């Protein structure tokens, strides 16, 4: 299945308001996909990972984000562009903003998935339908009903329930790193930074799937569609409504004109 065909299936069954995003983690020495924009060199600014995804899902741009392009210091550490030094792992970057103290902050930082330092050189993201590269993860943003639609599709073949975790920060790691390392789909509550820098709105959530789950998700979308699970979700409208007594009195007049 081509990337454009997969994007069309997502569009048919989920109808997201923004483009599904194909993410590829590029190892040192590997070539970059064609026609990538480099944020600092080509666009004139540094970017956060969530901001780059926002550019891809809203503008359709393909970006290759390296260490020199990234504005978010904690993203550099968790994606392995810089080492996770003790100041971070001991919770000091988290304390005072997200946690009461460094001890609590250290627990939060330990819960966030991460790549090894130097494992990857670039984070590439672009609109799935236009992507001419083999992606590692696809990210889809949508409202809770659309994300629910993707969750039910992901569970169609194997059943069960899909776990999720969030710390309210660094959702880029939950969406990509957790999906790649676990090999499982993720549904994620966007973090504060994603809303501030990535343009994510209050009614949006996100879903991500590793490449190995693509065929299973397609089967699930089509299977649940046949079973009657659809988006937009149809309202049940085959009922007789109740109206105020003042409205219903009109019926009395029509039935007994002499009572006017």
């Amino acid at each position: 299945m081509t990337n454009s065909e997969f994007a069309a299936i997502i569009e048919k069954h989920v109808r997201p308001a923004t483009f599904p995003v194909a993410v590829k983690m590029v190892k040192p020495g590997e070539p970059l996909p064609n026609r990538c924009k480099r944020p600092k060199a080509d666009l004139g600014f540094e970017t956060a990972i969530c901001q780059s995804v926002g550019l891809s899902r809203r503008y359709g741009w393909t970006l290759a984000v390296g260490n020199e392009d990234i504005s978010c210091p904690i993203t550099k550490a968790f994606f392995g562009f810089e080492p996770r030094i003790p100041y971070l792992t001991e919770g000091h970057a988290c304390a005072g903003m997200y946690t009461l103290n460094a001890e609590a902050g250290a627990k939060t930082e330990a819960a966030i998935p991460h790549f090894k330092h130097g494992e990857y050189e670039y984070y590439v993201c672009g609109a799935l339908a236009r992507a001419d590269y083999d992606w590692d993860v696809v990210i889809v943003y949508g409202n809770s009903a659309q994300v629910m639609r993707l969750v039910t599709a992901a569970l169609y073949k194997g059943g069960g329930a899909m776990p999720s975790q969030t710390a309210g920060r660094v959702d880029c790691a939950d969406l990509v790193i957790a999906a790649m390392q676990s090999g499982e789909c993720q549904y994620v509550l966007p973090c504060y930074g994603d809303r501030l820098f990535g343009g994510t709105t209050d009614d949006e959530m996100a879903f991500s799937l590793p490449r190995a789950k693509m065929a299973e998700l397609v089967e699930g979308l089509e299977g649940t569609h046949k079973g009657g699970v659809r988006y937009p979700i149809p309202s049940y409208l085959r009922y007789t409504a109740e109206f105020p007594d003042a409205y219903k009195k009109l019926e009395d007049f029509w039935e007994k004109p002499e009572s006017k």
Side-chain angles (χ1 to χ4, degrees):
M1 179 178 295
T2 66
N3 290 341
S4 60
E5 288 171 340
F6 184 35
I9 290 173
I10 294 173
E11 172 62 30
K12 173 184 175 182
H13 293 291
V14 183
R15 303 187 186 184
T18 59
F19 301 122
V21 175
V23 175
K24 179 179 178 63
M25 296 303 304
V26 179
K27 293 183 177 181
E30 289 184 348
L32 289 174
N34 297 324
R35 299 188 299 278
C36 288
K37 298 179 187 294
R38 297 297 309 281
K40 190 170 184 179
D42 298 328
L43 304 178
F45 58 86
E46 297 174 3
T47 178
I49 291 293
C50 57
Q51 183 182 356
S52 300
V53 172
L55 288 164
S56 293
R57 73 184 182 98
R58 296 185 187 281
Y59 294 177
W61 291 352
T62 299
L63 304 177
V65 183
N67 191 21
E68 65 274 20
D69 299 299
I70 297 176
S71 60
C72 178
I74 59 174
T75 294
K76 291 184 178 183
F78 287 108
F79 276 81
F81 296 114
E82 293 289 356
R84 294 167 66 247
I85 60 176
Y87 177 82
L88 175 73
T89 58
E90 291 172 2
H92 301 290
C94 192
M97 182 176 183
Y98 286 97
T99 59
L100 177 64
N101 51 39
E103 181 181 4
K107 295 177 182 178
T108 297
E109 305 296 23
I112 297 171
H114 63 276
F115 290 134
K116 295 176 182 178
H117 180 218
E119 188 174 354
Y120 295 101
E121 189 171 11
Y122 294 100
Y123 176 107
V124 172
C125 57
L128 173 62
R130 305 175 186 175
D132 61 354
Y133 50 89
D134 291 333
W135 47 269
D136 296 307
V137 173
V138 162
I139 302 172
V140 183
Y141 279 76
N143 59 41
S144 61
Q146 290 169 314
V147 171
M148 179 203 69
R149 185 73 185 84
L150 289 161
V151 169
T152 57
L155 297 174
Y156 176 73
K157 188 172 183 179
M162 185 180 295
S164 177
Q165 74 165 34
T166 184
R169 60 195 292 269
V170 205
D171 69 342
C172 53
D174 295 325
L175 287 165
V176 173
I177 302 175
M180 289 179 64
Q181 292 180 341
S182 70
E184 299 293 337
C185 299
Q186 311 288 315
Y187 72 96
V188 173
L189 184 67
C191 70
Y192 193 89
D194 196 349
R195 301 170 194 275
L196 179 64
F197 303 117
T200 296
T201 58
D202 289 351
D203 64 340
E204 288 185 302
M205 295 180 65
F207 177 93
S208 66
L209 72 146
R211 189 174 189 86
K213 292 292 184 180
M214 178 176 67
E216 195 170 304
L217 186 77
V218 170
E219 180 183 356
L221 285 169
E222 294 175 345
T224 50
H225 180 86
K226 290 177 182 177
V229 181
R230 311 286 173 84
Y231 186 85
I233 297 171
S235 299
Y236 181 77
L237 297 172
R238 298 176 64 179
Y239 63 89
T240 300
E242 286 291 328
F243 295 93
D245 289 341
Y247 286 19
K248 290 191 286 187
K249 191 171 181 62
L250 287 167
E251 299 287 355
D252 295 335
F253 290 150
W254 293 325
E255 290 175 6
K256 302 175 182 179
E258 66 277 5
S259 64
K260 283 188 176 182

